[in-house]
Amino acid sequence: MSVEGSVERIISVLEERALGHDIDIVDVEVVGSAKAPVVRVRIDHADEDGKTISLDEVAAETGWISDALDEIDVFPGSFTLEVSSPGMDRPLRRVRDFERFSGSQVSLQTTALEGRRRYTGKLLGIQENIVSLESDGMTYDIPLTEIKKCTLKPTFDFSGQNKN
């Protein structure tokens, strides 16, 4: 099975089981060699109340994730499992992710569209599986199927001004 096929199978199984744990499977990534792959699973709370998942919560969820991966036996030998929060550069992969983070700054990578693959700018939203992005003073409409990777681009304010 290809790496992409393995990732899709892992996501499918984990998303189904995550419902019973009130957890959202944000992303799954398989890196490293075929003989010793590393499976990275990023999780968060299923509700979108803005509360960040804690390290203790991640540790508590790791057991059932590990058990699920052992059961489906995607890799013939051993693998390393890393479970973490999505982090500040949270990946966006589903329609609901693009809806939730509309208005945010993102970094986006596509298959070659009009000779360009990388975009950085403001996510304007998604309609009918078309992602709208404002970048370099222009608006781009990119089919969701053409997006290879999209992550939030954290912005930092070091001005010292409190914005309460």
Side-chain angles (χ1 to χ4, degrees), residues 26 41-44 52-53 58 84-92 101 151-154:
V26 174
V41 180
R42 293 179 187 91
I43 63 173
D44 205 353
T52 305
I53 194 163
V58 169
S84 68
S85 72
M88 293 178 67
D89 58 345
R90 177 191 189 105
L92 309 180
F101 293 102
T151 58
L152 290 179
K153 186 170 173 43

Side-chain angles (χ1 to χ4, degrees), residues 27-100:
D27 191 36
V28 172
E29 181 181 33
V30 177
V31 296
S33 70
K35 290 182 179 181
V38 176
V39 180
R40 294 181 180 150
V41 180
R42 293 179 187 91
I43 63 173
D44 205 353
H45 293 286
D47 56 18
E48 298 175 3
D49 65 359
K51 182 182 168 200
T52 305
I53 194 163
S54 72
L55 184 57
D56 289 338
E57 291 169 315
V58 169
E61 302 299 333
T62 300
W64 70 263
I65 293 170
S66 178
D67 292 345
L69 293 180
D70 287 342
E71 284 177 32
I72 62 173
D73 199 24
V74 176
F75 305 105
S78 64
F79 63 92
T80 301
L81 174 62
E82 295 177 358
V83 181
S84 68
S85 72
M88 293 178 67
D89 58 345
R90 177 191 189 105
L92 309 180
R93 64 178 178 85
R94 299 165 295 201
V95 170
R96 70 180 187 208
D97 297 332
F98 288 93
E99 291 170 344
R100 178 179 177 191

Side-chain angles (χ1 to χ4, degrees), residues 125-149:
I126 184 169
Q127 284 189 313
E128 298 178 16
N129 290 328
I130 303 294
V131 174
S132 295
L133 177 77
E134 183 181 286
S135 178
D136 303 324
M138 297 183 66
T139 299
Y140 297 92
D141 293 324
I142 304 167
L144 187 59
T145 56
E146 298 295 320
I147 296 175
K148 292 172 67 177
K149 183 177 182 180

